[in-house]
Amino acid sequence: MGAIDLFQQRLGRRPYCGDNLATDGQACQPLASAKANPRSHHFCDHWKDKSKAGHCRKLALQIPELMKQSGQVQRIRRRELLADKSEALLVNLAHCMRWNSLLLVSRTTSNRNPLPTILDTLEAAGLVTQRIAPPKPEGGLCTEVQPLPALADRLDPLDAPDIAPELRHVIELRDKEGLPTKTTGARVLRSLEPPVKRLNRLLAATTVCLDGRELPSPQVKRVFNQDWTQGGRWYHQAQNLTKEERQRLFLDGEPVSELDFSAMHARMMYADAGHQYPMDADPYTLPGVPRDVAKLVFMQLLYDESPQKAVQHLKARQNPALLEAWHKYRQRLEQWQSEPQETRLNLPERPKCLWDGFTPLPAEIDVESAVAAFLSANPAIAQAFNEPGQALRVQYRDARIAGRIIAEFVKQRQPILPVHDSFIVQRKHKGKLAETMTREYRKETGFDCPIK
C-alpha cells in the first residue's frame, strides 16, 4: 500500500485521482488534460500553522538540528527564517494529507532558497519522498514531494481554518531567467501594493469552498518581469484548480460564474495594429489545422522571439523518442490508477527525458505548414511575432484591464477571483461582470472583445 493510500486509510476516505492541477502554462499549453495524473498542490510559501496543536510549528523548530544530524549543513544561519520556511513547507504537506495530493516545490537555489536543503533533510529522516523532475528547457527544477506515514505520526492533516495565509510581499519582480529579484523603487511599490492588499483583505474575509470543503483563503500577488512595464499578472493558489473545479466553487455560500475574454491576446494584438478583429470570428480557426493545434501555434509564436524559434520548439514535441516515452508513461499511470487501492505501489516516475510540462504534438501535424498558415491568415499581426518580449507586453495590458475590473468589485465588497483573462464572481453578479469587462477592455484598447 502506497503512502498516500495509508493517509486515506487514516482519514477514512478513498483517494482522489482526478485531473492534474494546471500551472501557468504560457508557452507550454496542453493539447489534452492529463487525466491519469494524481491531484497536485503547488507550494504556498506564506502559509502558517494556526491550529491549536501547532504540530507544524513545533516540528519546524526542530528542522535545524535535523539538518545537522543528517549532514545537510554544518552551521545554521538565520535560524528564524529557516524555521518560517520549514513551517510553511510542513503546513503545505499537512494540507496535502487532507486533500490526498502531491506537493510541487521549486528546487531553485536562487536567493539562497533553503527549501531544497529542508526537503533533503526530511527525506533523510524518512518523512517524505521526492521525485525530482529533469531541468526545464527554460531553466529551473521542480520536485514532487510525497509525505510518508512517519510524517503523519508527527502532524495532523490540516483543513483550511487551520491555515493562516500570511502573504507579506504582494509584488514580485523577476529577472530574465524568471527568478525573483530584489525589488527597488519605493514609489512604484507604493502605487502597486494597495490595490492587491485591498483584494487580499476582502478574500481573507470570504469563505471559498470546493465540493463542500473550505479552501485556504486565496491570496493574490502580482508578478512583473524584468521591469514594471512587462507582465504584472495577478496570481493566486486557486488558479491551479481545473476549469471544471472552478465551476464548482462557492463564494460565501453562493454559486459562481466565470467569464473570460475570447482569444484576448490575439485580439489585443489586432487592436495594437489598429484593427477590430471580427466579433463573430475565431483567430484559432485555420483550414486543415485542429483548433487546439492552431492555439498552440499562436502561443508558441507569442512567447518565442521569432517564428523560426517557434518552429523548433514545436518540432521538439514531435520527437519520436519523446513521444514513445510519453505514451509509455501515460500507460503506466493509467494502469496504476486502475489497480485496487490496497495493492497500489508508488506512482510511476516520469522519464527524465520528458521535461516538466511536456505535452506531445501529433506527428501528423506539419509544423512549418501550420505556422505558415497562421501567419498567412493573420497578416496584420504577423510582423509582431518578430518582436522579442511581445508576450510580456500583452500580459501587462491584460493585467491593467484585470486591475480595473478587480477594483470595481472590491469597491462594492463583492469577492472576485482573477484567472488571467477570466474572472470568477458570485453568480448573481454575472451581468455586472460582463458589463465591467466590456467597458474596461474598450477603455484600454479602443476596440471590443467577445466575452464567454
Side-chain angles (χ1 to χ4, degrees):
M1 184 181 294
I4 292 290
D5 296 324
L6 284 172
F7 282 131
Q8 293 307 309
Q9 188 180 69
R10 272 174 172 266
L11 300 173
R13 296 201 309 274
R14 294 180 59 81
Y16 175 90
C17 298
D19 293 355
N20 189 35
L21 298 184
T23 59
D24 180 43
Q26 296 192 354
C28 299
Q29 297 292 320
L31 298 178
S33 60
K35 291 186 179 297
N37 287 354
R39 176 187 287 268
S40 54
H41 163 74
H42 294 257
F43 173 67
C44 291
D45 64 355
H46 56 278
W47 283 3
K48 298 294 182 183
D49 183 0
K50 68 172 184 179
S51 65
K52 290 183 179 180
H55 292 315
C56 292
R57 183 63 186 178
K58 292 174 183 176
L59 180 55
L61 294 173
Q62 300 173 25
I63 295 294
E65 296 308 317
L66 286 176
M67 283 183 169
K68 288 184 177 181
Q69 294 172 14
S70 64
Q72 299 294 329
V73 297
Q74 295 182 349
R75 184 179 177 184
I76 302 295
R77 298 182 178 87
R78 305 184 71 183
R79 186 178 292 265
E80 184 177 348
L81 174 63
L82 187 60
D84 287 344
K85 286 287 186 180
S86 299
E87 179 183 355
L89 179 63
L90 292 169
V91 170
N92 277 260
L93 288 168
H95 190 59
C96 285
M97 297 178 198
R98 176 62 71 194
W99 281 80
N100 183 30
S101 58
L102 301 174
L103 181 64
L104 301 183
V105 184
S106 170
R107 288 189 66 90
T108 177
T109 55
S110 64
N111 296 338
R112 299 181 180 178
N113 176 24
L115 284 175
T117 305
I118 298 171
L119 285 169
D120 293 343
T121 299
L122 293 175
E123 186 171 47
L127 300 177
V128 302
T129 60
Q130 299 182 79
R131 284 186 288 274
I132 301 175
K136 299 179 183 180
E138 64 272 20
L141 291 171
C142 184
T143 183
E144 294 177 335
V145 186
Q146 182 171 341
L148 293 176
L151 189 61
D153 293 334
R154 307 282 295 271
L155 304 180
D156 294 326
L158 292 183
D159 279 323
D162 299 320
I163 298 172
E166 298 180 4
L167 183 59
R168 296 187 182 92
H169 304 290
V170 297
I171 304 297
E172 184 175 297
L173 182 65
R174 295 182 181 177
D175 60 20
K176 290 183 178 180
E177 284 70 43
L179 300 176
T181 185
K182 187 175 181 180
T183 55
T184 57
R187 182 177 299 177
V188 173
L189 293 178
R190 281 199 296 269
S191 66
L192 292 173
E193 286 181 342
V196 187
K197 290 183 175 180
R198 283 193 288 269
L199 173 60
N200 283 343
R201 285 195 295 270
L202 176 60
L203 292 175
T206 302
T207 301
V208 183
C209 292
L210 171 64
D211 297 336
R213 292 186 177 276
E214 185 178 346
L215 301 181
S217 173
Q219 293 289 276
V220 178
K221 69 177 178 181
R222 293 189 67 184
V223 178
F224 291 82
N225 301 79
Q226 302 177 46
D227 62 46
W228 303 113
T229 63
Q230 298 191 88
R233 281 183 145 186
W234 305 64
Y235 291 89
H236 56 85
Q237 181 63 23
Q239 287 174 340
N240 294 316
L241 299 173
T242 64
K243 187 171 185 177
E244 291 73 19
E245 288 171 324
R246 296 199 301 267
Q247 292 172 350
R248 303 199 302 270
L249 288 173
F250 279 73
L251 299 179
D252 281 341
E254 297 275 354
V256 302
S257 289
E258 180 175 1
L259 297 180
D260 68 280
F261 292 106
S262 178
M264 185 184 194
H265 283 179
R267 294 176 187 277
M268 288 181 74
M269 292 177 70
Y270 267 92
D272 288 342
H275 298 280
Q276 169 67 63
Y277 193 87
M279 294 286 283
D280 58 350
D282 181 6
Y284 306 137
T285 299
L286 296 176
V289 180
R291 187 183 188 279
D292 53 0
V293 174
K295 185 174 182 179
L296 179 62
V297 166
F298 169 75
M299 297 300 293
Q300 200 75 63
L301 283 166
L302 182 63
Y303 284 92
D304 274 321
E305 60 188 30
S306 69
Q308 292 74 27
K309 286 287 187 181
V311 168
Q312 292 176 17
H313 289 148
L314 288 167
K315 284 185 174 181
R317 299 171 182 269
Q318 296 179 314
N319 183 295
L322 297 183
L323 290 176
E324 182 180 3
W326 166 259
H327 289 300
K328 287 182 177 179
Y329 175 49
R330 288 292 300 273
Q331 288 174 0
R332 290 198 299 271
L333 282 173
E334 290 171 0
Q335 182 178 356
W336 177 87
Q337 186 181 17
S338 67
E339 292 174 353
Q341 175 183 344
E342 62 274 8
T343 62
R344 284 182 188 162
L345 299 176
N346 288 337
L347 285 168
E349 291 193 25
R350 180 175 55 245
K352 292 184 177 180
C353 61
L354 301 179
W355 62 84
D356 185 30
F358 176 88
T359 52
L361 185 62
E364 62 269 18
I365 298 297
D366 185 329
V367 168
E368 292 181 347
S369 295
V371 171
F374 187 90
L375 295 175
S376 177
N378 297 278
I381 61 174
Q383 183 58 36
F385 295 117
N386 287 295
E387 300 174 10
Q390 179 69 239
L392 294 176
R393 287 191 289 272
V394 175
Q395 281 186 10
Y396 176 71
R397 298 189 69 190
D398 80 38
R400 280 165 52 94
I401 295 172
R404 293 198 290 265
I405 295 169
I406 291 166
E408 180 73 18
F409 278 78
V410 171
K411 184 169 60 176
Q412 301 298 324
R413 303 296 296 170
Q414 297 165 352
I416 181 171
L417 287 171
V419 188
H420 301 322
D421 58 355
S422 72
F423 303 87
I424 301 169
V425 298
Q426 293 171 328
R427 191 171 297 166
K428 61 186 179 183
H429 299 310
K430 180 179 179 180
K432 175 185 175 181
L433 175 61
E435 178 185 339
T436 306
M437 291 171 67
T438 299
R439 182 184 68 245
E440 295 304 333
Y441 182 91
R442 188 181 297 126
K443 185 183 296 184
E444 177 69 27
T445 68
F447 295 93
D448 294 313
C449 180
I451 294 169
K452 58 183 182 179

